Amino acid sequence: MAKVLAINAGSSTLKWQLFAMPEERVIASGLVDRLNLPGSIFKVKLANGEKYSETQDNITNKLAAAMVLTRLKSYGILQHLREITGVGHRVVAGGEIFKDSAVITPTVLKQIKALKDYAPLHNPVQAYYIEVFAQLLPHAQQVAVFDTALYTQLPTVNYLYAIPYAYYEKFGARKYGAHGTSHRYVAARTAELLKRPLADLKLITLHLGSGSSITAFDHGRALDTSMGFTPLAGVMMGTRSGDIDASLVAFLAEKLHKTMPEMIGILNHHSGLLGISELSPDQRDLEQTQEERPKSKLALDMFVNRVVRYVGSYVAELGGVDAVVFTAGSGENGIAMRQAIADKLAYLGIAIDPAKNDFRGQERVVSPDGNAVKVLVVPTNEELMIVRDVARLTQE
């Protein structure tokens, strides 16, 4: 039995799952949160339901990786690190270089680092973890699974910006998207749940969380996606502005005496739900305070508005839709948010049955019985897609 480790690293978190392959059974999973901050949290959940948690200040990225492996041994999950035969890493930006997941070589690692401009908050830390796990598990084959790979085959009319074509040729200025690993899983799982081939379906998948993106699938192929050159574009998010007039950015930079990098920082970290509500980037906080705080309600209303715009435009692009699918933190758990979005889309035949919708974090069809357009909730599983790609690429 091979054991494969899936690594999903963010700027301040490290999520991981250890799988037994080929049966795709989760042996253990965990999260290291608040990396490099006071009160860092290390959590582990074993297959038998046992849970462990420990808190210590300023767990570094390198220490987090080492703790994952040492705790797997101390909890009796591993007798020896050599039992881990493969490590799959989620990498956000693959540019146009990587149209599929790739076995990591020195050249591949160098290319991931060189693509940092496309995902400055993610690629550098993900490249770092690749190096750390190569040191800790030198015997294991490592694979990079790129969020952007799904979107390398978008139609040209959808990935190009209406700027001088030379900028695309010289600098790769185009839409790359993000969350592709999540959307890929959710689309495939939706087809299974509907008992129809993915190649027969027109789908819109809504990955709604702290970072949010929407993807349209036309008979199995990604047709369009909301995120752009970077994950900043698209719908409004927890702290990201989403789509914005570029001239407004220049206007504000002048008024605020900010540099362009400083403005991009504001748009990434201080905008979105947080910027409008002036309270929190978390929809749960805003839902709890929307009765007494008009800005909390405004932020939620704006989020619904932006999602509805994209879904409506993608129905038009697709020429109809067979299913709309919610996933990720808010998509899987936001009962009121799902309902609000569906209500705004009723004219397209998109509807949610309130009784069916009263749950969190499960796979379920929530549209009324007999409705032509199916609405589903499908919890995402990026880690499963990662280990499947590790198995596929290391067995070829």
Side-chain angles (χ1 to χ4, degrees):
M1 177 181 65
K3 294 184 176 73
V4 176
L5 185 63
I7 298 297
N8 189 342
S11 55
S12 62
T13 62
L14 175 65
K15 293 190 293 183
W16 59 271
Q17 290 189 31
L18 182 67
F19 286 79
M21 299 295 283
E23 56 265 52
E24 298 182 349
R25 176 171 55 87
V26 178
I27 303 172
S29 61
L31 168 69
V32 192
D33 200 5
R34 294 180 56 84
L35 285 168
N36 304 298
L37 293 171
S40 301
I41 303 169
F42 184 92
K43 296 181 179 180
V44 177
K45 181 180 179 181
L46 305 185
N48 62 8
E50 291 182 33
K51 295 180 181 180
Y52 301 90
S53 180
E54 53 188 288
T55 301
Q56 67 181 72
D57 288 338
N58 304 306
I59 296 178
T60 64
N61 300 75
K62 187 170 185 177
L63 178 58
M67 288 176 71
V68 170
L69 301 179
T70 57
R71 298 309 186 267
L72 286 173
K73 290 184 69 176
S74 64
Y75 298 146
I77 300 302
L78 298 175
Q79 298 301 313
H80 196 284
L81 294 183
R82 284 191 172 276
E83 294 173 46
I84 298 177
T85 59
V87 183
H89 297 263
R90 176 201 174 206
V91 178
V92 169
E96 289 191 305
I97 299 171
F98 297 102
K99 302 183 187 305
D100 191 6
S101 302
V103 175
I104 296 170
T105 65
T107 298
V108 168
L109 179 58
K110 184 178 180 180
Q111 290 168 322
I112 290 171
K113 292 179 178 180
L115 289 164
K116 67 180 186 301
D117 289 344
Y118 298 86
L121 298 180
H122 294 89
N123 268 43
V125 71
Q126 288 156 356
Y128 177 81
Y129 276 113
I130 290 170
E131 293 179 308
V132 169
F133 278 100
Q135 295 170 1
L136 297 173
L137 299 169
H139 59 282
Q141 289 187 288
Q142 296 199 89
V143 170
V145 179
F146 296 94
D147 271 2
T148 55
L150 178 67
Y151 306 116
T152 56
Q153 300 301 318
L154 289 178
T156 308
V157 295
N158 285 339
Y159 73 67
L160 280 183
Y161 292 106
I163 57 178
Y165 191 84
Y167 299 164
Y168 166 63
E169 294 178 306
K170 293 179 180 179
F171 311 120
R174 57 159 284 178
K175 176 185 287 191
Y176 289 102
H179 295 150
T181 306
S182 173
H183 287 286
R184 186 159 55 102
Y185 171 80
V186 170
R189 183 60 183 151
T190 297
E192 292 175 358
L193 292 171
L194 296 179
K195 296 181 171 58
R196 294 179 61 183
L198 182 58
D200 288 352
L201 294 170
K202 295 180 178 181
L203 302 178
I204 300 175
T205 52
L206 286 69
H207 180 112
L208 306 180
S210 177
S212 296
S213 63
I214 303 174
T215 293
F217 287 89
D218 188 7
H219 298 93
R221 177 184 177 182
L223 175 71
D224 208 346
T225 194
S226 59
M227 284 181 167
F229 178 71
T230 72
L232 176 58
V235 298
M236 177 181 180
M237 304 174 221
T239 63
R240 298 177 196 150
S241 65
D243 294 335
I244 188 170
D245 185 339
S247 295
L248 177 59
V249 181
F251 170 83
L252 291 174
E254 181 179 349
K255 295 295 183 182
L256 297 170
H257 306 291
K258 300 288 187 182
T259 65
M260 193 55 66
E262 288 173 330
M263 286 304 306
I264 296 300
I266 291 170
L267 297 178
N268 267 300
H269 303 295
H270 304 286
S271 301
L273 295 172
L274 174 63
I276 293 297
S277 71
E278 298 182 331
L279 176 68
S280 172
D282 193 314
Q283 291 183 18
R284 293 168 294 187
D285 294 337
L286 304 185
E287 288 176 353
Q288 291 171 4
T289 59
Q290 62 181 324
E291 296 299 325
E292 63 268 19
R293 293 189 78 258
K295 287 180 181 177
S296 294
K297 184 177 188 305
L298 175 62
L300 292 170
D301 289 346
M302 287 177 64
F303 182 80
V304 171
N305 171 272
R306 301 315 194 255
V307 171
V308 166
R309 286 185 191 179
Y310 264 97
V311 174
S313 68
Y314 285 169
V315 172
E317 269 197 274
L318 289 165
V321 65
D322 295 305
V324 174
V325 193
F326 290 89
T327 194
S330 176
E332 295 169 21
N333 299 291
I335 297 170
M337 182 58 65
R338 292 192 300 252
Q339 190 72 58
I341 291 168
D343 288 347
K344 293 286 188 179
L345 295 165
Y347 74 100
L348 293 172
I350 297 169
I352 283 180
D353 182 331
K356 291 183 177 183
N357 188 46
D358 189 17
F359 72 99
R360 304 180 193 276
Q362 302 174 35
E363 286 186 343
R364 191 174 297 183
V365 176
V366 294
S367 47
D369 293 343
N371 211 59
V373 180
K374 304 301 180 186
V375 182
L376 298 88
V377 178
V378 178
T380 191
N381 196 333
E382 293 170 301
E383 289 78 16
L384 179 57
M385 295 303 291
I386 290 170
V387 297
R388 284 177 176 173
D389 281 1
V390 172
R392 172 172 61 88
L393 291 172
T394 58
Q395 292 174 4
E396 289 179 352

